[in-house]
Amino acid sequence: QVKSREVEALMNKHLPKRTTAILHDLGRTGDQLDLTVYAVGGFVRDLLLDIQNMDIDVTVDGDGILFAETFAAQFGCRVKSHQKFGTAVIVFPDGFKIDVASTRLEYYVSPGALPTVERSSLKMDLYRRDFTVNTLAIALNGESFGKLIDYFGAYRDLQSRVIRVLHNLSFVEDPTRVFRAIRFEQRLNFKIAKHTEDLIKNAVKMEFLEKLGGRRLLSELVQILREKEPLKGIGRMASLGLLRFIHPSIELTPAMQGALEETRYVVSWFDLLYLERPYERWSVYFLTLCEGLSEEQFLGTCTRLAVAEHYKERLVEMRKEGERLIAALERKVAGSGKVENSEIYFTLRGLPVEVLLYHMAKSRSAEVKRCISLYFTKLDGMHPQIRGEDLKELGVAPGPLYRELLDLVLSARLNGKAASREDEIRLVREVLGGV
Ligand code: CTP
C-alpha cells in the first residue's frame, strides 16, 4: 500500500508548489467546517502515473457547496454552484478552477417541498465511476493529508496497467464508457481487461450503443481523434466494431489504414512547422475516415453526429470545394508537369487547413503534395508590398480594379518576378500604360 508520505513526496515532486499549497488549503477549510475532503479521480490517477493533470476534482463528505463558498470567501475566489447536483466550481482570480462535488445530495423535488436528502458515502460515490483506475481518492484534511483511499483495487490496476469496470452493468448504464475505455487504454498505454472487453462486445451486440445520441457519440469520437496517437484508438474502435457508428460503410481496410497513416504523417509535419494557424486536428482524421462517403452520405453523417451547424456547413462545403480544386491542380500537374506558384496560391487560397491537410494526405501525386506543402511554408504568408493608397497615388480610381491589380502584383511576387516595392510599382505602371 502507498503511504501518505509517499503520496506527499509525489505531490512535491510532480505538482507545482502552488497546487500542493491549494490542496493543503482545501484540507484546512475542511477541518474548520468539520467536513472530510478528498481529491479524486483523474487527478489522482495521473499523479500516481506521473502525468501532468491540472484538473483537480474534489469530493466533500457533506455539503460541497457550503465548503466551496467558505473556501472562496477565505481565498478571494468566486463560486459557481449547482444546487440540484450539489456541485460547485471554485474559480481563482487567475482563472484556475477546482471542481467540487458532494457525496451527500440535497435537492427539492418541487418548489416548497421538503428537500430530498440522498445520503451517500465516498465509497458509493466512487463505485458509480467508470473504471477502477478512476476511483482513487487522496484525503486532504490536516491529520490524514496524503492518505490514499483505494476501495476497488485501483492501485493494483494502475500497476498492472489495466482498464477494468467496477461492475457488469457499467456500459449499459453509460455506453459512452465504451469509448472512454478505448481512450484511456490508448492514452495511458494500458490494456482493457478481458472481462471488460467482453462486456464491451456484449454492449455492442445488444445494440446499447444505438441508444447514444449523435452529439454524445461525436464528443467521444472527437476526444479519441484529439489524442496524441489517434490511430491506436481508431484501430481499437475498428476491432470492436465501432466504426460503423460513424457510418456503416466505414471499415479499417488496408487502404484506409494507409490513408490514416499518411494523415498522421502530414499532421505531424504540419504541427512541426509551428505556423500558429489554429485548426481542428480531429477533423483531418474525420475527413480521412469519411473519404469514401458521397457528398450526401457525408452531410448525413455530420447531421446525425450533430456537428455544430456553422462548422458542418464549412466542412461539407469545403470538402466539396477542395475536391474540385485539388482535382484541377492534379490535372494541371499531369498536363504541364510544373505549376506556377501563383496558380498554386490562387487555387488553394481560402481552403481551411483541415481540408488542405486532408488532401495533402490523400493525393497520390507527389507534385500535388509538394504544391500544398509549398503553399503552407512559403506562399500563404506572402503579400504585395504596395497597398491601395499606392494605387491611388498612381491615379487608379478606387473600385474592383484595385483587387485585380493587387492580385496581379502578388502573382508576380509569388512567381519571383517582383522582388521589391519598385518592381511592383513598375508593373502596375506597365499594366496601366497598356490599358
Ligand atoms: N466518469 C464516469 N463515466 C463517464 C464520464 C466520467 O464514470 N461517462 C467519471 C470518471 O471516473 C472520471 C470522472 O467522472 O474520473 C471525471 O470525468 P472526466 O473529467 O471526463 O475524466 P478524467 O478521468 O478527468 O479524464 P480526462 O483525463 O480525459 O479529463
Side-chain angles (χ1 to χ4, degrees):
Q1 213 9 315
V2 187
K3 303 221 169 61
S4 311
R5 263 184 290 115
E6 296 173 62
V7 174
E8 266 201 87
L10 279 175
M11 286 180 178
N12 292 334
K13 191 165 157 216
H14 300 309
L15 299 179
K17 277 208 172 59
R18 176 180 177 230
T19 310
T20 316
I22 290 174
L23 293 172
H24 278 288
D25 289 341
L26 290 163
R28 271 192 285 272
T29 302
D31 289 342
Q32 286 161 20
L33 296 171
D34 207 13
L35 292 171
T36 320
V37 188
Y38 312 91
V40 293
F43 173 76
V44 182
R45 175 197 71 212
D46 289 347
L47 177 69
L48 294 179
L49 291 173
D50 189 10
I51 296 171
Q52 175 111 339
N53 185 343
M54 287 295 141
D55 295 334
I56 303 181
D57 286 313
V58 161
T59 292
V60 177
D61 225 346
D63 188 343
I65 294 180
L66 171 73
F67 171 83
E69 280 168 355
T70 310
F71 180 91
Q74 285 174 346
F75 294 95
C77 308
R78 285 184 299 122
V79 176
K80 282 191 258 172
S81 54
H82 289 95
Q83 288 293 339
K84 194 175 160 198
F85 301 109
T87 59
V89 185
I90 301 174
V91 188
F92 285 73
D94 66 351
F96 183 72
K97 288 182 187 148
I98 294 178
D99 283 309
V100 180
S102 316
T103 58
R104 185 172 52 176
L105 295 181
E106 205 169 295
Y107 55 90
Y108 296 82
V109 178
S110 63
L114 285 175
T116 308
V117 180
E118 210 180 73
R119 272 173 189 282
S120 158
S121 62
L122 178 68
K123 187 169 179 182
M124 276 295 289
D125 195 72
L126 295 172
Y127 185 65
R128 289 196 207 104
R129 291 180 177 244
D130 48 5
F131 309 114
T132 57
V133 292
N134 289 335
T135 61
L136 284 166
I138 296 175
L140 299 180
N141 290 74
E143 286 283 284
S144 48
F145 188 89
K147 182 170 176 238
L148 190 70
I149 296 152
D150 180 7
Y151 291 119
F152 306 107
Y155 189 69
R156 185 197 56 212
D157 284 346
L158 275 186
Q159 297 261 292
S160 43
R161 308 184 83 79
V162 168
I163 301 295
R164 190 195 310 279
V165 284
L166 285 109
H167 56 80
N168 288 353
L169 291 179
S170 196
F171 297 116
V172 179
E173 276 170 12
D174 182 352
T176 59
R177 290 176 172 170
V178 168
F179 297 93
R180 290 176 62 85
I182 293 174
R183 183 152 57 86
F184 287 126
E185 181 186 56
Q186 307 309 326
R187 184 205 299 169
L188 304 174
N189 210 3
F190 277 34
K191 184 106 188 79
I192 298 175
K194 172 79 175 65
H195 181 60
T196 299
E197 189 175 330
D198 288 343
L199 293 173
I200 294 180
K201 288 179 180 155
N202 207 39
V204 175
K205 202 165 78 200
M206 305 281 283
E207 304 191 343
F208 285 118
L209 272 76
E210 265 80 353
K211 295 195 182 76
L212 266 185
R215 195 177 303 279
R216 295 185 74 199
L217 196 63
L218 178 71
S219 154
E220 295 302 325
L221 177 66
V222 167
Q223 289 185 70
I224 288 179
L225 299 184
R226 273 187 182 151
E227 289 287 329
K228 244 203 201 114
E229 292 287 348
L231 263 64
K232 293 201 290 176
I234 295 172
R236 196 56 152 136
M237 281 180 70
S239 69
L240 291 168
L242 299 173
L243 290 180
R244 71 183 162 90
F245 291 103
I246 307 173
H247 189 276
S249 71
I250 298 179
E251 273 183 79
L252 193 58
T253 56
M256 176 55 82
Q257 179 69 30
L260 288 165
E261 279 166 18
E262 192 63 23
T263 304
R264 177 180 51 192
Y265 178 78
V266 164
V267 164
S268 313
W269 166 83
F270 185 77
D271 287 346
L272 279 176
L273 293 177
Y274 296 111
L275 290 181
E276 290 181 13
R277 279 187 62 167
Y279 78 108
E280 292 285 356
R281 179 143 42 106
W282 71 268
S283 300
V284 189
Y285 288 101
F286 181 65
L287 284 166
T288 299
L289 280 168
C290 294
E291 75 176 19
L293 304 192
S294 68
E295 194 187 324
E296 222 180 347
Q297 288 171 325
F298 184 64
L299 176 65
T301 297
C302 291
T303 306
R304 190 169 40 79
L305 292 178
V307 174
E309 204 58 35
H310 67 283
Y311 196 64
K312 179 176 87 175
E313 270 172 32
R314 185 171 132 100
L315 216 52
V316 172
E317 197 45 49
M318 290 299 160
R319 176 185 189 254
K320 188 168 121 193
E321 183 69 356
E323 296 291 347
R324 192 178 68 75
L325 293 172
I326 299 288
L329 196 59
E330 275 173 353
R331 275 197 301 277
K332 264 185 212 153
V333 166
S336 63
K338 183 95 181 81
V339 189
E340 294 243 66
N341 286 352
S342 56
E343 281 184 277
I344 301 173
Y345 178 87
F346 287 108
T347 306
L348 302 182
R349 179 172 72 169
L351 286 177
V353 174
E354 292 88 337
V355 171
L356 286 169
L357 292 178
Y358 160 60
H359 281 291
M360 193 169 163
K362 190 181 172 202
S363 179
R364 295 275 155 268
S365 156
E367 184 58 17
V368 166
K369 285 179 195 283
R370 192 194 67 82
C371 290
I372 302 177
S373 136
L374 187 72
Y375 174 77
F376 278 129
T377 53
K378 190 169 158 211
L379 310 182
D380 188 32
M382 290 176 79
H383 305 282
Q385 288 193 4
I386 58 165
R387 298 151 166 260
E389 290 148 35
D390 300 301
L391 294 178
K392 207 166 161 189
E393 269 178 33
L394 287 167
V396 187
L401 187 58
Y402 267 45
R403 181 75 280 147
E404 280 175 41
L405 284 170
L406 288 175
D407 278 352
L408 188 91
V409 166
L410 179 58
S411 286
R413 174 167 282 279
L414 289 163
N415 295 336
K417 294 191 179 120
S420 65
R421 206 180 123 77
E422 288 67 40
D423 289 345
E424 293 182 359
I425 293 180
R426 199 174 312 121
L427 183 68
V428 174
R429 284 219 171 93
E430 269 170 37
V431 175
L432 292 176
V435 170

